[in-house]
């Protein structure tokens, strides 16, 4: 029966909801007539139950009886006669609603995919389209192609492992995307060639080449789901793409490829003036086209076309500042060959205004980074002089300055180049290439050498500063486990790129194998349980968020682009702020591990585990998803999960809270649970940065930088869209929290019988904002997994 396919958690949730409905509104569960048959005790399970919960909780969906799938409850199956006390029932109901509201959107999506494509509504197509944005096989496809796919995808499922989907030599009839499960690819003579997993695709080649299937596809596991595109739809979409593509040529070579947008508002909203989207082209031609799309309106709502913003954010990948400045200078003195003097003057002024507007966005985006670029600075100074001599252009600038209050990035005052773009980040200041940092470099005898050098200093420059220019000396990076890596002479900014507990060593090549980690690299020998007991969970979470926010805002969004493509490809570029923020994630994760593994007392360790669960819960409430995931990753580490005696002491209510938090970490469907959660968040919030970087890497590695020797601008747009998530997270001001003096959150953590002297008078100074902040900013951790596992076995033997 269908019940066999439901997990115990869903069955339990269904039982809880059933019990409440019987008590509150028994009419919902009664005999029903369907196709002239009477069914007893009917209810909506999985698809319909989950959608029903979404209606009741979220008020997002309209429930239609004609689309329901019925299930007959049987008292003996579900234990519906079970009666629990009122408090337990309330807790179980909240847990059930939490689970079902999370699964509901996934059930809705599956229900939409099961519909015949001709019966899908515009809303259905939008749901499928949004899902395709996170499917690996569709990553390289344009927006218009994904939208067409949403209209033709067919859901196909197979229950048993070993099922042959098609055989080598068969005629190609469909293209498949793996929605759930995995398949084996087998060919004659070679056997198993590879295994494909969720998000990957197969079967496309036979459709493109009109050839037989080149391999046999066999299901690797039970209950595999696929998204299928049949051949006629596949070929039609390819033809539609070509029909909607415009290619501009110069001297017999294609210089710009445009694709007709599905609608005029897709790319730029009110600011979009073109129905065509740039797909690829030469850098100069892309720039020229984008300048044409810029509107010069007077209503204060003239936001730049989204493509222009994407171009500026990613231009250093394919168009260095020197090339961009030259191209802008070429466009700036534009002249009209024919027409009256009035027409020529109006045309030139129009072009100059557009260049100025684009430059204003460029300055607003990069700010002080341009001040470190001599070529860009020289261009801006020359532009400044020309504008000062042009009264009409100067009036445009004054107008721009007024409009900057509308949160549109424009050049506010050309005579005050950078003062308006200073970054305000609280107590953590952004690191820039020219800033000096303290380099600590250890000799083989573990004695430190300290140098104050610019953050972007190369290894060769460090060696020169140390007076070790001979070929026999090398700079080594070593972690706490003793793993060594020799750094290349042209490597830069090596100190800010060090991982947790990594250190730099200078030695000869013969001494390299004799190097051993420093004692400080091994991490602390004693935990800080006693200190943590004196701080409330909410205070700790608040200071974690305050500090994370400062690190997050100190990071320039263009650092993500440098990081993904490789910092070494951009002269003078640094990713120090991003690396500092990513390292913080690892630090918090290992802090949780370290404290629990160093706490030898079972009772205190159980209290500490409970505290970390509470901290994770508060971090989620504060929308600090980066530290939330760091804490949860720490708790889910094998060294902690194996502490059975400790977990047994956790109250059932706390375990339920942990389970509900754990569901947000579900990696299936490309972390769908997390993506659904953040889609409903409003800024400010801190995203899960490792996943965002993973998304960008996925886009980068799945798409070439150039297509037919033209810049693949579709790839740049996809990258820029991901980067703009960071911009959106920081689009609203964050108000720092201060430690809470109330005891409400402490009641969750420490029961009256276990608090004892934890909050005695002598402990009050440790709970001040300054002390908590100092503790949070100076975490000492063990990052050696083998050592953590050994400690775990010792304390829970």
């Amino acid at each position: 029966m269908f019940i066999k396919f439901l997990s115990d958690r869903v069955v339990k949730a269904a039982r809880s909801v059933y019990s409440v409905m019987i008590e509150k509104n028994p009419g919902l569960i009664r005999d029903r007539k369907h196709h002239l048959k009477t069914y007893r005790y009917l209810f909506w399970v999985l698809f319909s139950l989950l959608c029903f919960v979404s209606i009741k909780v979220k008020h997002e969906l309209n429930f239609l009886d004609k689309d329901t799938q019925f299930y007959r409850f049987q008292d003996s199956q579900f234990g519906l006669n079970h009666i629990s006390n009122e408090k337990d029932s309330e807790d179980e109901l909240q847990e059930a609603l939490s689970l079902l509201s999370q699964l509901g959107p996934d059930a809705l999506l599956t229900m939409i995919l099961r519909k015949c494509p001709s019966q899908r509504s515009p809303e259905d197509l939008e749901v499928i389209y949004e899902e395709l944005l996170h499917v690996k096989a569709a990553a390289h496809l344009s927006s218009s192609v994904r939208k067409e796919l949403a209209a033709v995808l067919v859901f196909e499922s197979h229950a048993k492992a070993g099922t042959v989907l098609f055989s080598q030599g068969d005629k190609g009839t469909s293209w498949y995307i793996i929605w759930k499960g995995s398949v084996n690819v087998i060919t004659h003579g070679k056997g198993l060639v590879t295994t494909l997993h969720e998000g990957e695709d197969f079967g496309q080649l036979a459709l493109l080449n009109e050839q037989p299937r080149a391999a046999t596809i066999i299901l690797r596991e039970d209950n595999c789901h696929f998204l299928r595109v049949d051949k006629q739809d596949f070929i039609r979409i390819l033809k539609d793409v070509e029909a909607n593509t415009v290619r501009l040529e110069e001297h017999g070579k294609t210089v710009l490829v445009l694709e007709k947008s599905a609608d005029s508002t897709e790319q730029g909203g009110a600011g979009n003036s073109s129905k065509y989207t740039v797909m690829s082209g030469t850098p100069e031609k892309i720039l020229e086209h984008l300048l044409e799309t810029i509107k010069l309106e007077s209503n204060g709502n003239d936001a730049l076309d989204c493509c222009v913003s994407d171009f500026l954010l990613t231009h250093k990948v394919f168009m260095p500042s020197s090339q961009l400045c030259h191209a802008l200078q070429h466009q700036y003195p534009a002249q009209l060959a024919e027409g009256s003097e009035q027409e020529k003057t109006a045309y030139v002024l129009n072009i100059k205004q557009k260049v100025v507007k684009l430059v204003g966005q460029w300055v607003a985006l990069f700010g002080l980074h341009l001040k470190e670029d001599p070529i860009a600075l020289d261009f801006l100074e020359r532009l400044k002089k020309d504008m000062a001599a042009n009264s009409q252009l100067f009036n445009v600038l004054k107008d721009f300055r007024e409009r900057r209050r509308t949160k549109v990035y424009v050049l506010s005052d050309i005579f005050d180049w950078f003062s308006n773009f200073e970054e305000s980040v609280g107590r953590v200041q952004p690191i820039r290439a020219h800033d000096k940092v303290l380099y600590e470099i250890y000799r083989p005898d573990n004695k430190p050498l300290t140098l104050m050098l610019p953050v972007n200093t190369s290894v060769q420059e460090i060696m020169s500063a140390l007076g070790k220019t001979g070929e026999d000396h090398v700079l080594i990076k070593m972690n706490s486990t003793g793993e060594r890596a020799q750094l290349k002479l042209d490597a830069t900014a090596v100190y800010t790129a060090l991982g947790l507990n990594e250190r730099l060593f200078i030695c000869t090549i013969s001494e390299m194998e004799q190097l051993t980690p420093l004692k400080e690299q091994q991490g602390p020998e004693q935990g800080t349980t006693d200190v943590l007991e004196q701080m409330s969970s909410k205070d700790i979470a608040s200071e974690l968020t305050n500090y994370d926010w400062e690190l997050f805002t100190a990071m320039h969004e263009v650092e993500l682009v440098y990081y993904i493509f490789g910092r070494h490809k951009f002269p003078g570029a640094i990713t120090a702020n991003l690396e500092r923020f990513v390292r913080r994630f690892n630090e918090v994760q290992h802090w949780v591990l370290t404290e629990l593994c160093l706490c030898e007392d079972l009772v205190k360790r159980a209290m500490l585990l409970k505290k970390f669960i509470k901290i994770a819960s508060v971090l989620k409430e504060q929308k600090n998803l980066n530290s939330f995931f760091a804490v949860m990753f720490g708790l889910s580490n094998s060294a902690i999960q194996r502490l059975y005696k400790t977990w047994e002491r956790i109250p059932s209510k706390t375990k339920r809270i942990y389970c509900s938090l754990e569901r947000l970490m579900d990696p299936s469907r490309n972390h769908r649970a997390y993506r659904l959660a953040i889609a409903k968040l409003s800024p400010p919030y801190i995203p899960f940065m490792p996943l965002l970087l993973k998304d960008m890497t996925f886009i980068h590695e799945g798409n070439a930088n150039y297509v037919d020797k033209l810049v693949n601008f579709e790839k740049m747009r996809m990258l820029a869209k991901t980067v703009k998530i960071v911009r959106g997270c920081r689009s609203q001001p964050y108000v720092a929290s201060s430690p809470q003096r109330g005891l409400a959150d402490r009641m969750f953590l420490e029961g009256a019988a276990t608090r004892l002297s934890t909050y005695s008078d002598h402990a009050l100074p440790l709970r001040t904002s300054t002390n908590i902040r100092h503790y949070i900013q100076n975490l000492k951790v063990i990052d050696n997994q083998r050592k953590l596992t050994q400690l775990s076995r010792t304390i829970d033997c």
Side-chain angles (χ1 to χ4, degrees), residues 161-293:
T163 301
V164 177
L165 202 61
F166 57 73
S167 298
Q168 186 172 345
D170 289 352
K171 184 179 179 180
T173 58
S174 301
W175 171 46
Y176 292 87
I177 297 173
I178 302 174
W179 186 243
K180 178 185 175 184
S182 58
V183 300
N184 287 328
V185 182
I186 297 173
T187 61
H188 300 326
K190 293 184 179 179
L192 179 63
V193 176
T194 187
T195 298
L196 301 176
H197 300 273
E198 182 181 295
E200 297 184 291
D201 68 307
F202 56 89
Q204 188 177 146
L205 194 62
L207 305 186
L208 290 172
N209 299 336
E210 291 284 345
Q211 293 180 352
R213 297 292 193 190
T216 298
I217 302 296
I218 301 178
L219 269 61
R220 185 169 172 265
E221 53 189 285
D222 291 342
N223 199 27
C224 287
H225 297 168
F226 303 92
L227 302 180
R228 191 185 78 229
V229 181
D230 292 332
K231 183 176 181 178
Q232 62 270 26
D233 291 320
F234 185 85
I235 300 301
R236 177 185 57 77
I237 291 174
L238 289 181
K239 289 181 178 178
D240 287 348
V241 169
E242 191 59 34
N244 290 324
T245 300
V246 175
R247 300 177 187 275
L248 303 181
E249 294 188 357
E250 289 182 356
H251 307 296
K253 294 183 178 180
T254 301
V255 294
L256 189 67
V257 179
L258 305 173
E259 184 180 80
K260 191 174 183 179
S261 302
D263 57 78
S264 60
T265 61
E266 179 183 331
Q267 297 304 327
N272 188 43
S273 61
S274 173
K275 294 183 179 179
Y276 286 86
T277 301
V278 177
M279 302 302 293
S280 61
T282 64
E284 290 79 8
K285 229 26 176 175
I286 294 173
L287 175 63
E288 182 181 330
H289 175 78
L290 295 179
L291 281 170
E292 292 174 2
T293 68

Side-chain angles (χ1 to χ4, degrees), residues 402-598:
E402 292 299 320
R403 292 183 207 169
R404 193 168 190 266
R405 298 172 186 170
T406 66
K407 297 180 183 178
V408 176
Y409 283 118
V410 294
L411 189 57
S412 63
D413 190 344
I414 201 68
F415 297 106
D416 189 9
W417 285 107
F418 297 105
S419 61
N420 291 328
F421 305 112
E422 290 284 357
E423 298 174 71
S424 177
V425 294
R427 281 172 280 185
V428 174
Q429 293 300 317
I431 300 172
R432 299 188 178 93
H434 67 273
D435 290 343
K436 290 189 174 183
V437 294
L438 183 66
Y439 282 76
E440 284 187 331
I441 303 167
Y442 293 86
R443 298 186 305 196
D445 60 2
N446 290 350
K447 291 183 179 179
L449 301 168
T450 57
L451 298 169
M452 285 295 295
L453 296 170
V455 67
N456 216 22
T457 299
S458 69
V459 170
Q460 191 166 16
E461 291 167 334
I462 294 173
M463 302 286 278
S464 297
L466 291 171
K468 306 291 185 181
T469 55
E471 294 182 359
D472 58 332
H473 278 84
V474 291
L475 195 64
I476 301 296
K477 178 174 68 174
M478 185 165 60
N479 64 17
S480 61
T481 65
E483 292 181 4
R484 310 169 188 85
Q486 182 178 336
L487 300 176
K488 296 180 179 180
L489 291 176
D490 59 349
T492 59
V494 293
Y495 194 73
T496 56
L498 290 177
L500 277 183
N501 293 341
E502 281 190 330
R503 297 293 185 271
L504 293 175
F505 290 81
I506 181 79
C507 65
T508 63
I509 296 175
S510 60
E511 292 172 328
M512 188 167 62
E513 293 300 321
Q514 301 171 16
L515 295 179
T516 57
L518 305 172
K519 185 178 180 181
E520 65 182 63
Q521 289 183 260
Q522 304 303 313
E525 296 180 355
Q526 291 185 334
T528 59
T529 304
D530 292 339
V531 175
L532 287 170
E533 282 180 346
Q534 298 165 20
M535 304 174 185
S536 78
S537 304
K538 198 164 188 178
D539 292 350
I540 294 172
S542 295
E543 286 299 341
L544 280 168
T545 300
N546 293 344
Y547 186 50
D548 285 355
W549 186 257
E550 292 175 13
L551 293 172
F552 183 49
T553 50
M555 177 190 73
H556 196 288
E557 57 194 49
V558 78
E559 289 187 47
L560 280 83
V561 177
Y562 298 155
Y563 186 88
I564 294 302
F565 283 89
R567 172 172 40 82
H568 62 280
K569 295 181 180 179
F570 306 92
I574 65 167
T575 54
N577 300 291
L578 173 59
E579 288 164 346
R580 180 170 58 175
F581 186 56
V582 171
R583 186 166 59 244
R584 178 62 176 176
F585 176 89
N586 297 327
E587 189 175 57
V588 172
Q589 176 184 347
H590 285 91
W591 166 60
V592 174
L593 277 162
T594 300
E595 293 301 332
L596 286 169
C597 289
L598 288 177

Side-chain angles (χ1 to χ4, degrees), residues 289-395:
H289 175 78
L290 295 179
L291 281 170
E292 292 174 2
T293 68
I294 294 177
K295 282 190 174 183
L296 297 171
E297 299 175 352
S298 58
N299 58 6
N301 295 319
D302 53 336
L304 284 181
D305 187 295
C306 192
C307 283
V308 177
S309 177
D310 296 344
F311 174 89
L312 292 174
L313 191 57
T314 60
H315 79 84
K316 290 194 174 184
V317 174
F318 55 88
M319 195 179 198
S321 295
S322 57
Q323 189 179 352
L324 175 60
C325 291
H326 178 76
L328 288 170
Q329 189 67 48
H330 177 73
Q331 292 290 327
Y332 186 70
Q335 294 182 1
L336 195 62
E338 299 179 355
S340 65
E341 287 300 318
Q342 185 177 2
E343 288 174 334
K344 290 181 179 179
T345 302
Y347 176 78
V348 171
L349 178 62
N350 180 269
I351 293 296
K352 287 187 174 184
Q353 287 175 351
K354 289 184 176 183
V355 171
V356 168
K357 186 173 181 181
L358 184 142
V359 170
Q361 180 82 349
W362 187 39
V363 173
L365 175 63
F366 286 91
L368 293 174
H369 286 251
L370 293 182
K371 198 170 184 179
E372 300 169 357
D373 187 336
I375 296 176
L377 198 58
D378 179 65
F379 167 75
L380 292 172
E381 289 293 345
R382 283 187 279 116
L383 184 62
K384 167 185 173 180
K385 292 177 182 178
D386 183 82
M387 292 165 57
N390 190 321
S391 59
Q392 289 178 300
L393 207 52
F394 184 74
N395 288 333

